[in-house]
Amino acid sequence: RYGRGRTISKFMRCKRSIRFASFNTRTLRQPHNMGELTEAASKFKIDVICIQEHRMVHDADIVYTTVSEKYTLVTSSATRNKGGAATGGIGLLMSHFTMKCLTEVNKHSERIISASFTGNPATTIICCYSPTNCSKEEDLTSFYKNLSDAMRDIPAHNMILIGGDFNALGTD
């Protein structure tokens, strides 16, 4: 009900809720890690999980991987450090329902990706992984500039959800 006996119009009614989460995985390279994540997402009926530190390295900017009959993983590659170890990497674990609504995925930097979805309202999810407080000032400044640019690229009418690991809050 809305106000004095009036009902909300169909336009305003939510037909299906979306569950959204963010998770720093620390690694998803082993198959059992992905199994645990998809099992938890299924158990709690989560539609989208922003993932940080998956540590999977690949050549393409964005990779789509079907990980179960219910979920698809969309990742931006991790990088290799001086010692050759994989570090970082961000992505989105999405239910197949959510994948049907996906219109595009953009890589804004190695620490920021966004995914846009159809709907009323149209929705954009930004997944990010900030540098730590002990990182160089230039890295922190670059991250927040890239995040600001990514948000500026989103149409004004879109609902924006940001999920991520905000290690550093800046120095201002």
Side-chain angles (χ1 to χ4, degrees):
R1 294 266 184 212
Y2 178 77
R4 300 186 167 152
R6 297 181 307 193
T7 59
I8 298 173
S9 68
K10 288 183 181 180
F11 175 76
M12 301 270 298
R13 285 190 191 153
C14 183
K15 293 184 180 184
R16 184 183 191 283
S17 61
I18 301 294
R19 289 194 180 192
F20 168 75
S22 183
F23 183 57
N24 184 324
T25 63
R26 307 253 167 113
T27 187
L28 281 180
R29 289 184 297 191
Q30 287 75 29
H32 71 275
N33 296 119
M34 184 57 68
E36 290 174 4
L37 183 61
T38 56
E39 186 177 317
S42 184
K43 177 180 177 182
F44 294 105
K45 298 179 173 94
I46 299 173
D47 293 295
V48 179
I49 301 177
C50 290
I51 295 171
Q52 304 83 42
E53 280 193 280
H54 60 64
R55 298 184 184 179
M56 297 182 289
V57 177
H58 45 73
D59 293 330
D61 275 348
I62 302 290
V63 172
Y64 295 78
T65 308
T66 302
V67 293
S68 74
E69 68 275 354
K70 294 182 180 179
Y71 289 94
T72 299
L73 181 65
V74 180
T75 57
S76 173
S77 182
T79 57
R80 298 257 181 221
N81 63 18
K82 293 176 185 174
T87 61
I90 52 177
L92 296 159
L93 182 69
M94 295 185 267
S95 69
H96 285 308
F97 166 78
T98 308
M99 285 296 295
K100 291 177 187 176
C101 301
L102 181 67
T103 57
E104 68 178 334
V105 175
N106 294 306
K107 179 179 176 180
H108 300 275
S109 73
E110 66 183 30
R111 292 180 172 272
I112 301 168
I113 62 171
S114 65
S116 296
F117 303 90
T118 59
N120 191 6
T123 302
T124 300
I125 295 176
I126 295 176
C127 178
C128 56
Y129 175 53
S130 76
T132 61
N133 280 333
C134 60
S135 298
K136 297 177 194 170
E137 183 70 30
E138 306 85 60
D139 293 342
L140 294 170
T141 302
S142 176
F143 170 77
Y144 285 106
K145 180 191 179 311
N146 290 335
L147 181 58
S148 178
D149 291 346
M151 291 178 65
R152 201 171 298 116
D153 290 344
I154 298 169
H157 63 276
N158 280 32
M159 177 168 52
I160 301 172
L161 301 171
I162 300 175
D165 186 348
F166 289 93
N167 291 304
L169 299 176
T171 57
D172 292 340

